[in-house]
Amino acid sequence: MRLFKVVIAVLLFAAFLVLLRTLPVAEWLEAFKAWVQGAGPIGYLLYILVYVVCCVLLVPALALTLGAGAIFGFAGGAVVNVIGATLGATSAFFLARTVLRHRVERMTSGSAKFTALDRAITREGTKIMLLVRFSGFPPFTWVNYAFGLTGIHFSPFLMTTLVGIVPGTIAFTYAGAAGAAALTGSGNPVLLIVTAVGAVLVSGFIAHIATNAIRRAGVEAES
């Protein structure tokens, strides 16, 4: 299964490179940047709103994180991503505790992952929640709903979300910003790509440490 995941990831990355070379991505990116700059705060708010909706609909947020870096730059993209991810996580959390509670309960019923996660949170609380955010396991959009079914309070949920998403957000926002800069000729492409890969690797190392800690706490990270 791990080999299969690696092969799929390589194929997706290869397809992405082909698209970059065959489609006028740089022109599209510059056009969208110009629209955002012309729209002022509305452009930022619209992107944040899209991020929130994607979190609620369980759409993986990685593409949005990279996109914000490419569109708004590193600093602006990081702010947009943190706000969007936090608001999206909060929305899912409250939906799981209110109108979608029964649906989420059906989704998680019989899930060994959720049972182990709930048990670990009951024992160690905030520590486990923070490790979950650092590790990215379970997936960000899914675990927001799962947290809503646990007995945790909103304050620690919000705090661990804000702190825990920072390493990954910074890494992938920078990767998006660096990729856009390299694509549009705004910097040294080799240096930009190397630093972006380095940032992602550091984030991955932090996630690996957190995942091992979660496993030791009794939450199995494999599906």
Side-chain angles (χ1 to χ4, degrees), residues 170-181:
I170 289 177
F172 287 103
T173 302
Y174 180 78

Side-chain angles (χ1 to χ4, degrees), residues 2 131-132 134-138 204-222:
R2 287 185 177 181
L131 288 173
V132 165
F134 280 142
S135 70
F137 167 80
F205 181 67
I206 294 173
H208 176 71
I209 294 174
T211 300
N212 287 337
I214 292 173
R215 285 175 172 167
R216 289 194 297 271
V219 182
E220 179 54 52
E222 295 294 335

